[in-house]
Amino acid sequence: MGGVFEALKGGGAVIALDEIEISILRSLAVQLLELIGPGEPEPEPDADPLAALFAASDGPTEPPSDPALARLFPDAYGGPGAGPGADEEELRAHSAEFRRFTENDLRTRKREDALAVVRSLDGLTPGDDGAAVLEVTGELPLRWLGALNDLRLTIAARLDITEDDESAALFRLPDDDPRKPMVMAYLWLGGLQETLIETL
């Protein structure tokens, strides 16, 4: 075990992380939390539950302007290249309505996934060899998968990676290219994601 997830006897996964890996993962998860933004305020204890339900469904109707957020919260219908004969105005209206009722919940889930990563990393203490063993069980593997996916989508948006074929040149960047650390993080997160999926 070293740098990749392995199956844990009895369910879940385990990984050994050194201090640098812990620091990088935690920093990326915190940046993701900042990008997603603060959560909805908690309803007042004596608030009408029905009113709170309808208020919670009143989310944004426009897609985010930040390319990374647009990748995390894409349009549900259509978008560019929706297909021949697609009524763009109608698709835009359907997307706006869908976004209004779903984006706040989706943001909450993504925030909870990133927070679960931060909290599980905060509980780690590296041993004498400089590594700490992290066990993810219960709902944590799915939380980690969600956060790893969101981190990769965010980095892909920043690097303008849309398809594997188009990104091949990025993987051969010289060491002095300022994008190199982000590309290395993107590849590393992909390896973590892949091995975590394999354990499940």
Side-chain angles (χ1 to χ4, degrees):
M1 173 181 51
V4 296
F5 282 99
E6 295 179 7
L8 189 60
K9 191 173 181 179
V14 62
I15 187 171
L17 298 167
D18 64 30
E19 287 186 64
I20 294 173
E21 292 168 327
I22 293 168
S23 176
I24 291 170
L25 276 170
R26 190 182 188 289
S27 175
L28 289 172
V30 168
Q31 290 176 56
L32 180 62
L33 284 166
E34 291 170 356
L35 177 68
I36 292 170
E40 296 297 313
E42 289 292 321
E44 297 295 324
D46 56 349
D48 177 7
L50 189 59
L53 176 66
F54 281 107
S57 67
D58 200 19
T61 57
E62 293 296 318
S65 57
D66 183 307
L69 285 174
R71 187 84 63 103
L72 291 174
F73 306 104
D75 273 332
Y77 302 98
D87 182 344
E88 287 187 36
E89 192 172 319
E90 188 177 332
L91 290 174
R92 229 184 337 267
H94 289 310
S95 286
E97 191 70 3
F98 186 83
R99 184 178 296 280
R100 177 177 161 229
F101 287 101
T102 60
E103 186 169 311
N104 285 343
D105 288 341
L106 188 55
R107 280 181 184 265
T108 298
R109 195 197 81 225
K110 290 179 181 297
R111 213 177 350 267
E112 289 170 354
D113 289 348
L115 262 174
V117 169
V118 171
R119 288 179 179 142
S120 56
L121 292 171
D122 284 348
L124 292 180
T125 306
D128 294 338
D129 61 352
V133 176
L134 171 68
E135 293 183 3
V136 289
T137 58
E139 70 170 19
L140 268 181
L142 294 178
R143 294 275 183 207
W144 268 77
L145 274 178
L148 289 171
N149 187 60
D150 290 342
L151 287 169
R152 291 192 80 232
L153 287 172
T154 301
I155 293 173
R158 296 294 185 235
L159 292 170
D160 203 24
I161 296 173
T162 53
E163 301 205 10
D164 290 340
D165 294 342
E166 297 174 15
S167 61
L170 283 174
F171 305 138
R172 294 188 298 275
L173 290 175
D175 289 341
D176 60 352
D177 191 295
R179 297 169 296 172
K180 184 77 172 200
M182 271 206 302
V183 171
M184 298 307 293
Y186 178 80
L187 294 172
W188 178 53
L189 292 169
L192 292 179
Q193 187 179 23
E194 184 178 339
T195 58
L196 183 52
I197 289 170
E198 288 170 358
T199 67
L200 303 178

